[in-house]
Amino acid sequence: MSSQDTVATRQSASTRVDPRGLRVAAGITAVVVAVVLVVPSPAREVLLAVQVAVFATAAFIGLGSSPYSIFFQKVVRPRIGAPAELEDSRPPRFAQLVGFAFTAVALVAFLAGATTVGLVATAFALIAALLNSVFGLCLGCELYLLLRRFTPVSA
């Protein structure tokens, strides 16, 4: 079996997702983290904790279990129809893990009184969410693909 066959087998075994749903989720995330940047404490920490939970659900349970994905499936997709193509769920799921890491760091920083660290980590999450929702550029997905290039393929 060639390395291309191995990659094709791995890809076909993975879950496929609607890329439009990923952009909708990124748009909701962008709004939530933008609000986190402007509301005072303790509302900021509560809202950020909700976003951390959304990222954790998508990263550790699955993209389809995320509240934003459920919203897309129930409300948006019936109005826009089936997608022209689906994409591999592994890169966006890794991106959710990256988002979880940034927002968890921000939440811990806010709770510890390190407001500047919390604001910077939240701003990074906002930038990534905006790039994904507006331009379709998923930084976490790109990081996943970069890491995959440097990971040796096992036989």
Side-chain angles (χ1 to χ4, degrees):
M1 181 178 271
S2 73
S3 63
Q4 285 181 333
D5 291 337
T6 303
V7 171
T9 301
R10 271 193 256 140
Q11 177 138 346
S12 65
S14 70
T15 304
R16 311 290 285 170
V17 294
D18 185 338
R20 301 168 306 170
L22 301 172
R23 288 182 77 170
V24 167
I28 297 168
T29 298
V31 169
V32 170
V33 295
V35 171
V36 166
L37 289 171
V38 297
V39 297
S41 185
R44 151 179 77 204
E45 289 82 4
V46 171
L47 193 55
L48 190 55
V50 170
Q51 184 59 53
V52 169
V54 169
F55 277 138
T57 302
F60 299 115
I61 298 172
L63 295 171
S65 299
S66 164
Y68 301 163
S69 178
I70 293 168
F71 169 77
F72 175 77
Q73 289 296 329
K74 302 277 186 200
V75 177
V76 178
R77 188 166 180 186
R79 288 169 174 74
I80 61 175
E85 58 187 43
L86 299 174
E87 56 182 60
D88 184 3
S89 67
R90 292 173 295 183
R93 192 163 176 184
F94 179 80
Q96 296 294 301
L97 181 62
V98 173
F100 169 77
F102 273 94
T103 54
V105 165
L107 180 59
V108 169
F110 284 133
L111 293 173
T115 305
T116 302
V117 173
L119 291 170
V120 169
T122 303
F124 280 140
L126 174 59
I127 291 166
L130 283 172
L131 285 172
N132 194 352
S133 65
V134 175
F135 300 109
L137 175 61
C138 175
L139 295 178
C141 300
E142 294 300 322
L143 179 60
Y144 173 85
L145 296 172
L146 182 66
L147 292 171
R148 294 287 296 159
R149 281 189 200 113
F150 293 111
T151 305
V153 178
S154 59

